[in-house]
Every structure is written in structure tokens, then in C-alpha cells.
């Protein structure tokens, strides 16, 4: 199934953030922030996000931490995406930075300490179900892996560059990057101003999917205390603002059509769109996504296609930076 967001734009190569903001002389929370609320767009800085939040608002944050999920082998680099329930893994093979599409059942990729074996295609010809080279894959990745990077990142950065301040549950192949601009100081300030924060988990798979390709199923967990707090905030007139598309997907999976959230965990294949809008989320903190990415459809489900297009047009005009090390956006209904 293909997904087709309405937002259209051309991304100049110069707007790809190729290094963390710290390498540009900024702290995490000093990246630019665009706030879009209805027809109004405000340009500010992320450490001033509290100016656009209210006491009693609830931020939903993803506590998934980022794995060193890329392992260099022969003849390919393997991106470890998602563990399946039977101990196999969903993987992507990369050849010189490009995805490899012509794998075959039984093919082996030589890796440190052993080999990875392709077992079956997974939702197309880009991803594969594979037998990993070790039983303890998380430990294996700590020994031999590095963070997944793409061509727009000019050099390799340490694992700490790919973690958010909320990270505590290992499992994401790529960083839940919407939360990267938060610093411990900013979180403390927001809490002192009456902004609430609650955890969810959604482990991100690899993001290098084909244009218009929908997101893959992902593991999630909405704990009981988060479900209770979301319901309390909604009942008392507060806003629920998701930090990242991952947080939207997780909480909406746990929500009924009346907006009531119940604790749940497992796999989600939920795809949000203007035809299937959120029942709970009132706003979204997000980075800037690539043209034709399925994430844009989720943004449109929260804020509407016109508001998202308006925000992206303004971001291009004002030279915001894209991707995991780039600038940020707050979309409010």
C-alpha cells in the first residue's frame, strides 16, 4: 500500500543538517523552532518552547534509546531494524550507502563473530527477515555496531549524539529525534512551569523507506500511569502534545474512538492520515521530514494539510535545517 501526503516541496541539499548542533556551536536546545498554530507561524528557538505551552499541558515523550544498529560486513553493511518474536530480526542491507534490492533466500553476509543469513523478504524487497550472527543481538551491537547514518551526514558521530535525554529503553534502530532538542535544563524549567511529562515507548525501525511507502509495524508500550495521566489531562481541559510521530502512533494505538486511553503494548501497524485523524493528540513536536515521507501524512492528520504545507513553506523560506540533527517544529491544532 502506498501513502500519499498532500504536502509538496523541494528540499535543497544545503538544508540537510550534516552534523549535530553542538558541532555548530549550539547547545541541543538552541536549534530553531517554528511554531504553527492555525494560520499563524512564529519563529523562535527551542529553549523558548515554554512560551507556547500552558500549565496543565502534557508532553508525551518516547523513552526508546537508539541502538548502534549498523554493522559493517562483507560484502554489505547490515542495518538491524527490528527484532521479531521468534528471535529473528528485520534487517536492511546497504551497499556503499545505497539499499540493496536483489537479496536471495539463504544468502549470507559475513559479519564480526559470524554470519547473518537472509530467510525471507519482509514487506517488499528492501527489508529482510534474517537469522542474526548472535543470540544476544543487543550485546552484539554494543560490541560491533555504530549508529545508522545516511549520506547527508558527513562523518560518523558517537552513540551519545544519537540519544535523547529521555532515552532508557534500548530498541530503536534510528533515533526518535523529535526529542533531541530537549536538554535536562529545559525539562526542569517546563516542569517548574506546570507542564506535565509522561513516557511511552515506540521502538523505531529503519527510516530509509521508498517514497510513499507506509511505516512498518513497530513495538510500542503505553504504561498504565501514562494512560491515566492522559485521560486526566483531557478531562481537565489540558492539551496532549506528542514529542515525535512515534509518540503519536503509540498513544493513538492505545486510544479508543472516544479518546479514552487504556494501557497496552505489543505491535502497532496504525497509519494516521487526514482520513483517520488522532483521537487524543492536540499537537506535535517534530523535526523536518523528507519530501514524500510517510511521516508527512501523520503530520497532516494532526494539523491538517494546509497548516503543514504553510509550515514547510515557511521553514524553507527561513532556511531551517532538516533531519535528525536539524531544527524543530511545534504544530498545534
Amino acid at each position: 500500500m502506498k501513502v500519499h501526503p498532500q504536502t509538496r516541496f523541494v528540499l535543497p541539499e544545503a538544508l540537510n543538517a550534516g552534523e549535530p548542533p553542538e558541532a555548530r556551536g549550539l547547545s541541543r536546545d538552541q536549534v530553531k523552532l517554528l511554531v504553527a498554530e492555525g494560520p499563524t507561524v512564529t519563529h523562535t528557538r527551542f529553549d523558548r518552547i515554554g512560551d507556547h505551552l500552558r500549565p496543565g499541558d502534557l508532553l508525551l515523550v518516547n523513552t526508546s534509546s537508539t541502538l548502534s544498529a549498523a554493522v559493517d560486513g562483507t560484502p554489505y553493511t547490515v542495518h538491524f531494524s527490528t527484532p521479531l518474536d521468534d528471535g529473528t530480526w528485520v534487517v536492511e542491507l546497504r551497499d556503499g550507502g545505497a539499499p540493496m534490492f536483489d537479496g536471495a533466500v539463504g544468502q549470507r553476509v559475513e559479519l564480526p563473530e559470524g554470519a547473518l543469513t537472509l530467510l525471507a523478504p519482509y514487506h517488499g524487497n528492501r527489508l529482510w527477515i534474517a537469522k542474526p550472527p548472535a543470540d544476544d543481538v543487543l550485546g552484539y551491537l554494543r560490541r560491533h555496531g555504530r549508529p545508522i547514518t545516511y549520506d547527508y551526514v558527513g562523518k560518523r558521530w558517537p552513540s551519545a549524539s544519537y540519544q535523547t535525554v529521555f532515552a532508557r529503553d534500548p530498541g530503536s534502530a534510528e533515533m526518535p529525534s523529535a526529542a533531541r532538542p530537549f536538554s535536562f535544563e529545559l525539562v526542569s524549567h517546563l516542569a517548574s512551569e506546570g507542564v506535565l511529562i509522561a513516557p511511552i515507548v515506540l521502538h523505531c525501525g529503519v527510516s530509509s523507506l521508498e517514497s510513499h511507502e507506509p511505516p512498518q509495524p513497530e513495538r510500542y508500550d503505553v504504561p498504565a500511569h501514562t494512560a491515566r495521566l492522559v485521560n486526566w489531562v483531557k478531562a481537565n481541559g489540558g492539551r496532549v502534545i506528542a514529542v515525535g510521530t512515534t509518540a503519536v502512533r503509540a498513544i493513538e494505538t492505545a486510544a479508543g474512538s472516544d479518546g479514552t486511553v487504556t494501557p497496552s503494548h505489543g505491535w502497532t501497524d496504525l497509519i494516521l492520515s487526514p482520513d483517520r485523524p488522532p483521537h487524543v493528540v492536540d499537537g506535535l513536536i517534530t523535526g523536518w521530514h523528507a519530501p514524500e515521507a510517510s511521516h508527512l501524512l501523520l503530520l497532516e492528520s494532526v494539523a491538517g494539510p494546509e497548516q503543514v504545507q504553510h509550515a514547510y513553506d515557511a521553514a524553507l523560506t527561513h532556511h531551517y535545517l532538516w533531519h535528525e540533527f536539524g531544527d524543530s517544529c511545534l504544530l498545534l491544532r
Side-chain angles (χ1 to χ4, degrees):
M1 183 186 73
K2 295 291 185 178
V3 294
H4 297 276
Q6 296 181 40
T7 305
R8 294 286 183 267
F9 62 96
V10 176
L11 179 62
E13 188 173 343
L15 297 186
N16 289 316
E19 58 189 5
E22 298 90 321
R24 307 194 294 269
L26 303 173
S27 64
R28 283 176 176 249
D29 58 11
Q30 289 179 329
V31 297
K32 292 194 290 188
L33 173 68
L34 184 151
V35 181
E37 186 169 9
T40 303
V41 167
T42 303
H43 300 282
T44 182
R45 206 169 67 179
F46 197 87
D47 57 1
R48 298 169 187 151
I49 194 171
D51 296 342
H52 303 275
L53 301 175
R54 308 168 187 159
D57 283 347
L58 174 63
L59 299 180
L60 288 174
V61 301
N62 188 357
T63 60
S64 179
S65 64
T66 311
L67 305 175
S68 294
V71 179
D72 295 318
T74 303
Y76 303 110
T77 294
V78 177
H79 288 181
F80 286 78
S81 180
T82 305
L84 299 177
D85 295 334
D86 61 359
T88 60
W89 274 68
V90 177
V91 302
E92 181 186 46
L93 304 186
R94 310 283 291 189
D95 184 6
M100 197 276 288
F101 291 99
D102 56 353
V105 173
Q107 183 175 352
R108 289 165 55 90
V109 179
E110 296 299 326
L111 297 176
E113 295 185 24
L116 175 136
T117 304
L118 301 185
L119 301 178
Y122 184 78
H123 294 286
N125 62 348
R126 178 187 288 262
L127 301 178
W128 282 82
I129 300 171
K131 183 178 186 301
D135 292 333
D136 178 14
V137 175
L138 298 188
Y140 177 84
L141 294 176
R142 285 193 292 270
R143 295 191 300 275
H144 299 293
R146 58 178 174 80
I148 289 174
T149 58
Y150 297 110
D151 290 344
Y152 55 82
V153 176
K155 59 178 282 189
R156 293 180 181 176
W157 299 94
S159 176
S161 296
Y162 292 87
Q163 305 297 344
T164 75
V165 298
F166 305 110
R168 72 180 188 201
D169 302 296
S172 281
E174 299 185 23
M175 176 173 51
S177 56
R180 193 185 193 280
F182 283 92
S183 64
F184 291 112
E185 294 80 8
L186 178 56
V187 171
S188 177
H189 170 71
L190 293 174
S192 72
E193 294 293 315
V195 176
L196 305 171
I197 297 174
I200 57 90
V201 175
L202 187 137
H203 294 311
C204 310
V206 296
S207 67
S208 57
L209 302 176
E210 294 272 61
S211 296
H212 303 306
E213 189 173 349
Q216 302 293 337
E218 293 169 311
R219 291 181 184 271
Y220 80 100
D221 181 24
V222 176
H225 55 278
T226 292
R228 286 195 300 268
L229 188 54
V230 169
N231 293 334
W232 182 87
V233 166
K234 297 294 284 189
N236 286 275
R239 298 180 298 182
V240 173
I241 298 171
V243 181
T245 58
T246 59
V248 180
R249 197 181 197 198
I251 200 66
E252 294 296 334
T253 299
S257 59
D258 64 350
T260 301
V261 176
T262 55
S264 66
H265 66 277
W267 290 89
T268 178
D269 58 3
L270 177 64
I271 298 175
L272 293 161
S273 72
D275 293 329
R276 188 345 194 147
H279 300 311
V280 174
V281 169
D282 302 297
L284 171 63
I285 297 168
T286 179
W288 299 95
H289 300 287
E292 301 180 346
S294 63
H295 299 81
L296 294 169
L297 199 69
L298 188 148
L299 269 59
E300 293 173 358
S301 78
V302 173
E306 290 185 6
Q307 184 175 339
V308 175
Q309 184 71 64
H310 190 40
Y312 270 72
D313 290 343
L316 290 166
T317 299
H318 290 265
H319 306 292
Y320 280 64
L321 295 179
W322 255 245
H323 303 303
E324 67 268 28
F325 294 143
D327 296 312
S328 191
C329 178
L330 169 59
L331 295 169
L332 295 169
R333 285 186 176 181

